[in-house]
Amino acid sequence: CFGRWHPSPRRGLKDAPDKGAHWCGLPLLTGSDVGDTPEYNPDLLDDPQWPCGKHKRVLIFASYMTTVIEYVKPSDLKKDMNETFREKFPHIKLTLSKIRSLKREMRNLSEECSLEPVTVSMAYVYFEKLVLQGKLHKQNRKLCAGACVLLAAKISSDLRRNEVKQLIDKLEERFRFNRRDLIGFEFTVLVALELALYLPENQVLPHYRRLTQQS
Ligand SMILES: *[C@@H]1O[C@H](CO)[C@@H](O)[C@H](O)[C@H]1NC(C)=O
Ligand SMILES: *[C@@H]1O[C@H](CO)[C@@H](O)[C@H](O)[C@H]1NC(C)=O
């Protein structure tokens, strides 16, 4: 099971066995499913037209926007997005907005540490794989995001020792965890990714294109 997915408890909190059991009991997470997990889709979580719910038209036909938008308050649209996402992926414990905002933070701090877009892209792939595996929850989401950036930076950049230290300082400051937890979690993430840190181009490239086009 994934006991380690609960970051080490602080302030004397005990591990919550209930949560662990719930976590491990999800059919999508059992070991025997590993061979059947669908191919990772690098567009799934970034697709601006997804999830399409009942406001599909708003998202797809830009020219209809002004007429349709009158009937759809932006807050409803957001709610629908979260809800559609939850229905489609009941095993994912975070909302789609939260997932996207974590990715923005990953990108922001990577840029501030002068990491290349390709590094951010790789971190995104690691992160989204963990998200889609249903491994993230409220308590570990920042550690996951941080560990993904750190692993991507180590594997794709030729970082010097003091640059790694700088990055860890930044991660620590931004995500407010302590570095001991981060270093421990790095290994957990590595195992969850089945040590597959070198990624096929078709998984990285879509992220890379979006990152370099947006900026
Ligand atoms: C959608 O998710 C975001 C991020 O968690 C949250 O802030 C927002 O309140 C949610 N929207 C609704 C309407 O539930
Ligand atoms: C990161 O976010 C901060 C605060 O929102 C912003 O001031 C800063 O310009 C961003 N940095 C980059 C590189 O996007």
Side-chain angles (χ1 to χ4, degrees):
C1 259
F2 301 106
R4 282 198 50 102
W5 280 90
H6 296 281
S8 58
R10 294 202 205 157
R11 295 186 210 98
L13 282 175
K14 286 261 171 73
D15 252 335
D18 281 340
K19 263 192 200 141
H22 183 50
W23 177 263
C24 298
L26 290 169
L28 282 168
L29 297 178
T30 57
S32 58
D33 271 359
V34 167
D36 307 315
T37 44
E39 186 89 7
Y40 167 70
N41 173 356
D43 295 321
L44 185 57
L45 295 177
D46 268 334
D47 186 350
Q49 296 178 359
W50 192 93
C52 302
K54 52 181 181 282
H55 306 302
K56 187 171 183 167
R57 283 175 306 161
V58 180
L59 297 168
I60 290 184
F61 302 114
S63 56
Y64 284 6
M65 196 81 118
T66 46
T67 48
V68 177
I69 208 80
E70 288 167 27
Y71 303 103
V72 183
K73 283 183 298 184
S75 62
D76 288 347
L77 191 61
K78 209 170 169 201
K79 178 173 172 192
D80 185 53
M81 180 188 83
N82 284 341
E83 276 173 9
T84 313
F85 183 74
R86 198 167 15 243
E87 277 162 24
K88 188 139 194 228
F89 296 101
H91 69 292
I92 297 180
K93 300 288 177 287
L94 301 178
T95 62
L96 184 58
S97 323
K98 181 52 79 185
I99 292 163
R100 287 179 171 163
S101 96
L102 282 163
K103 284 168 61 191
R104 279 194 299 273
E105 286 186 72
M106 290 163 75
R107 178 188 184 178
N108 176 290
L109 76 89
S110 298
E111 286 175 356
E112 290 185 355
C113 291
S114 309
L115 298 178
E116 300 289 330
V118 70
T119 305
V120 181
S121 308
M122 290 173 68
Y124 277 5
V125 175
Y126 301 156
F127 184 71
E128 290 189 352
K129 284 183 175 176
L130 300 176
V131 167
L132 293 168
Q133 285 176 26
K135 292 218 155 77
L136 266 71
H137 50 69
K138 228 172 143 85
Q139 290 78 34
N140 71 9
R141 65 187 200 276
K142 293 186 174 185
L143 276 171
C144 277
C148 290
V149 172
L150 186 57
L151 286 168
K154 285 180 177 174
I155 205 95
S156 71
S157 329
D158 198 9
L159 293 185
R160 289 196 215 94
R161 184 186 266 267
N162 67 324
E163 290 169 320
V164 173
K165 188 182 168 299
Q166 255 174 25
L167 177 59
I168 293 176
D169 287 343
K170 189 83 174 181
L171 288 167
E172 200 173 27
E173 170 205 316
R174 188 66 63 93
F175 287 128
R176 300 205 187 92
F177 42 58
N178 75 55
R179 68 184 58 213
R180 262 213 341 258
D181 289 340
L182 177 66
I183 308 302
F185 215 68
E186 219 186 337
F187 183 70
T188 310
V189 166
L190 199 54
V191 170
L193 294 170
E194 299 175 323
L195 311 186
L197 293 188
Y198 290 99
L199 300 166
E201 202 177 270
N202 65 356
Q203 295 185 359
V204 181
L205 214 52
H207 292 290
Y208 182 82
R209 285 209 196 93
R210 282 188 290 267
L211 286 168
T212 48
Q213 279 162 13
Q214 276 168 22
S215 53

